[in-house]
């Protein structure tokens, strides 16, 4: 800690009869200071002395006529003149003393203002660096100080380790000390709780962004009604946080399924599966920030993708109709195909046993598939899976 030594100089002037300042203490002795009452007393005595001389002069002037009498009268006259000189000098001295006293009062007032200014400018408590552990010092209006402590420290001078940040760490946030009180600053407005320990798990995006899950695997997420369900998460593709609702890696699983199976979901989430239309509806319901991404690969290993903004589907009364926004990618925009009869955006979902397409025939039954068919399609990711370039009816 650094200490600041401050010297304030106060000046005061004393009045003395002989204007003598003693070397040993720089002040006038008390018996030399002329007070107003003492000045009046001296002046009165001089006046009485002058009157006495007048009486003596009258006595000699009327009662005696010898030469000695004339000499006495001359002496009396000289004394009267000297008395007048003394009175004149005394009056001048008194006036000078009064002037000095007045000047002294003015000087004291000026020094008072100067001292106050110096004290205000120099007596800054933060100059002594009172805050420890990189705390920030703020000067208050009353010349006191307040330390803004860094994370993990508290106390008036930030000299006390904030053990609460060690024993009760913030789960999904950072612990900060502010004015001697610790609090958790959560990583997202969606995270709540004193220790930032309450966050939604609606989908893989929440798990990735809020809970820092980074592995590609199956996790438990929470449906809007509070029920728990399993979801396959892709935490590596294009920034991570993708909830996978359809996956096909080989032809070991048939996707030629009925309406109830496509509603509830089927397959193995570690291999081939369809998550389920009910889960997908709950996932996209009342949300405007869902992006649909479709990744595909051909037999030669060439990859392509398509992305759509504001992805959502309708409820069961609307047969889970498909709604997507703008397109981005290199696979081509099949959902908004240039031939409207083959576009999928706005179409209802169809299965072999639930025909909701616009075709005169049942597209799902015809192609052993299920999708948001129009009349019929420009894309069919749930159709027959071929292991090679040779198409055959003996595949799923």
């Amino acid at each position: 800690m650094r200490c600041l030594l401050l010297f304030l100089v106060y000046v005061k002037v004393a009045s003395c009869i002989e204007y003598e300042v003693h070397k040993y203490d720089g002040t006038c002795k008390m018996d030399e200071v002329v007070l107003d009452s003492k000045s009046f007393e001296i002046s009165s005595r001089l006046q009485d002395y002058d009157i006495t001389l007048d009486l003596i002069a009258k006595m000699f002037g009327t009662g005696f006529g010898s030469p000695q009498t004339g000499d006495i009268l001359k002496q009396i006259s000289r004394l009267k003149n000297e008395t007048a000189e003394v009175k004149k000098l005394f009056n001048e001295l008194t006036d000078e003393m009064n002037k000095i006293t007045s000047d002294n009062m003015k000087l004291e007032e000026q020094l008072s203002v100067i001292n106050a200014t110096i004290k205000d400018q120099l007596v800054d408590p933060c100059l002594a660096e009172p805050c420890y552990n990189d705390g920030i010092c703020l000067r208050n209006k009353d010349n006191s100080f307040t330390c803004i402590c860094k994370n993990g420290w508290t106390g008036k001078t930030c000299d006390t380790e904030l053990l609460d940040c060690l024993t009760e760490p913030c789960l999904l946030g950072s612990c900060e000390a502010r004015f001697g009180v610790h609090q958790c600053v959560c990583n997202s407005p969606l995270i709540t709780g004193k220790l930032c320990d309450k966050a939604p798990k609606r989908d893989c995006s929440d798990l990735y962004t809020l809970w820092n899950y980074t592995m590609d695997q199956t996790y438990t997420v929470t449906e809007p009604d509070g029920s728990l369900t399993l979801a396959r998460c892709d935490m590596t593709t294009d920034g991570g946080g993708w909830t996978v609702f359809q996956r096909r890696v080989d032809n070991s699983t048939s996707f030629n399924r009925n309406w109830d199976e496509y509603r509830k979901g089927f397959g193995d989430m570690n291999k081939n599966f369809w998550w389920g239309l009910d889960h997908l509806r709950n996932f996209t319901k009342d949300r405007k920030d869902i992006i649909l991404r479709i990744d595909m690969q051909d037999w030669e290993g060439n990859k392509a993708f398509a992305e759509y903004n504001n992805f959502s589907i309708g409820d069961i009364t609307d047969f889970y109709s498909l709604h997507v926004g703008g397109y981005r990618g290199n696979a081509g925009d099949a959902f908004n195909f240039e031939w409207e009869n083959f576009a999928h955006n706005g179409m209802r979902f169809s299965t072999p046993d639930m025909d909701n397409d616009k075709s005169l025939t049942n597209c799902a039954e015809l192609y052993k598939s299920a999708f948001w068919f129009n009349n019929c399609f420009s894309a069919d990711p749930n159709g027959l899976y071929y292991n090679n370039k040779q198409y055959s009816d003996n595949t799923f």
Side-chain angles (χ1 to χ4, degrees):
M1 179 185 295
R2 300 178 182 175
C3 297
L4 175 66
L5 299 180
L6 179 65
F7 294 91
L8 298 180
V9 181
Y10 295 89
V11 179
K12 191 167 185 176
V13 179
S15 302
C16 308
I17 292 179
E18 298 178 357
Y19 301 93
E20 179 182 356
V21 178
H22 295 272
K23 294 180 181 179
Y24 70 92
D25 60 0
T27 60
C28 300
K29 291 184 177 180
M30 291 301 297
D31 58 355
E32 294 174 338
V33 177
V34 179
L35 304 177
D36 289 342
S37 58
K38 190 71 174 179
S39 300
F40 179 76
E41 180 183 350
I42 294 172
S43 179
S44 298
R45 288 184 178 181
L46 288 172
Q47 184 69 25
D48 292 341
Y49 178 65
D50 193 47
I51 294 173
T52 302
L53 289 175
D54 286 340
L55 290 176
I56 294 173
K58 289 179 180 179
M59 290 174 59
F60 280 94
T62 56
F64 303 92
S66 64
Q68 290 82 1
T69 300
D71 292 337
I72 292 173
L73 291 175
K74 288 180 181 180
Q75 291 294 332
I76 291 174
S77 177
R78 183 179 61 79
L79 290 174
K80 284 178 61 63
N81 291 333
E82 291 178 354
T83 300
E85 277 301 313
V86 171
K87 289 177 65 177
K88 179 181 178 181
L89 291 174
F90 178 78
N91 290 334
E92 291 177 353
L93 177 60
T94 302
D95 292 340
E96 186 67 20
M97 291 170 58
N98 290 335
K99 183 177 181 300
I100 292 174
T101 301
S102 176
D103 292 342
N104 185 38
M105 294 177 62
K106 292 179 181 179
L107 180 59
E108 286 184 342
E109 292 177 358
Q110 293 174 355
L111 289 174
S112 177
V113 173
I114 293 173
N115 285 329
T117 302
I118 293 174
K119 183 177 181 181
D120 180 66
Q121 292 179 350
L122 297 181
V123 185
D124 185 348
C126 290
L127 293 178
E129 299 183 359
C131 303
Y132 293 99
N133 301 302
D134 297 325
I136 299 174
C137 182
L138 298 180
R139 179 184 178 185
N140 301 324
K141 291 183 178 180
D142 60 355
N143 272 340
S144 61
F145 67 90
T146 299
C147 289
I148 309 299
C149 302
K150 297 291 185 180
N151 291 349
W153 298 95
T154 186
K156 180 176 175 59
T157 58
C158 303
D159 58 346
T160 302
E161 188 173 7
L162 193 60
L163 296 178
D164 287 344
C165 283
L166 301 177
T167 59
E168 295 185 357
C170 304
L171 185 60
L172 299 173
S174 58
C175 187
E176 294 186 1
R178 297 180 178 176
F179 299 101
V181 179
H182 92 285
Q183 67 179 34
C184 290
V185 180
C186 301
N187 295 333
S188 167
L190 296 174
I191 302 174
T192 59
K194 181 179 179 181
L195 301 178
C196 299
D197 54 350
K198 298 178 181 179
K201 293 183 177 181
R202 300 167 297 178
D203 50 52
C204 297
S205 178
D206 284 348
L207 298 181
Y208 181 84
T209 304
L210 306 179
W211 293 90
N212 300 319
Y213 292 180
T214 58
M215 299 292 294
D216 291 345
Q217 63 184 49
T218 300
Y219 295 97
T220 300
V221 295
T222 305
E223 301 268 4
D225 62 0
S227 61
L228 302 179
T229 189
L230 296 177
R232 179 71 187 187
C233 296
D234 180 347
M235 301 303 197
T236 56
T237 299
D238 195 22
W242 299 97
T243 303
V244 183
F245 70 88
Q246 192 255 34
R247 186 168 186 254
R248 303 185 75 180
V249 296
D250 58 36
N251 67 347
S252 62
T253 303
S254 173
F255 276 66
N256 186 15
R257 305 291 183 118
N258 62 33
W259 179 256
D260 285 339
E261 288 178 296
Y262 268 96
R263 278 190 57 200
K264 297 177 183 178
F266 58 85
D268 181 357
M269 287 191 174
N270 293 317
K271 201 171 185 181
N272 305 300
F273 73 93
W274 175 265
W275 195 29
L277 291 168
D278 287 339
H279 296 314
L280 195 57
R281 163 62 182 174
N282 291 335
F283 170 64
T284 62
K285 180 182 178 181
D286 299 326
R287 296 179 65 177
K288 304 296 183 182
D289 58 344
I290 305 299
I291 298 175
L292 171 64
R293 181 182 175 98
I294 303 168
D295 288 285
M296 59 198 80
Q297 180 177 311
D298 64 15
W299 289 292
E300 282 77 27
N302 300 311
K303 297 180 180 180
F305 78 97
E307 277 189 13
Y308 295 90
N309 296 325
N310 301 325
F311 167 61
S312 66
I313 64 173
D315 59 23
I316 190 172
T317 63
D318 194 32
F319 301 100
Y320 307 103
S321 58
L322 173 68
H323 304 281
V324 292
Y327 163 81
R328 182 182 78 91
N330 59 3
D333 185 2
F335 285 177
N336 296 295
F337 197 64
E338 57 183 341
W339 294 351
E340 293 183 2
N341 287 339
F342 296 135
H344 297 274
N345 196 7
M347 296 298 105
R348 295 175 174 180
F349 200 85
S350 293
T351 60
D353 62 334
M354 182 66 70
D355 184 9
N356 295 314
D357 60 44
K358 291 186 176 183
S359 175
L360 295 178
T361 184
N362 186 341
C363 296
E365 183 180 24
L366 178 63
Y367 292 101
K368 300 178 182 180
S369 178
F371 203 58
W372 290 278
F373 291 120
N374 190 335
N375 185 23
C376 277
F377 62 82
S378 59
D380 185 17
N382 292 330
L384 297 177
Y385 191 101
Y386 297 95
N387 286 323
N388 51 53
K389 296 180 181 181
Q390 302 300 318
Y391 294 97
S392 170
D393 290 338
N394 297 322
T395 58
F396 292 123

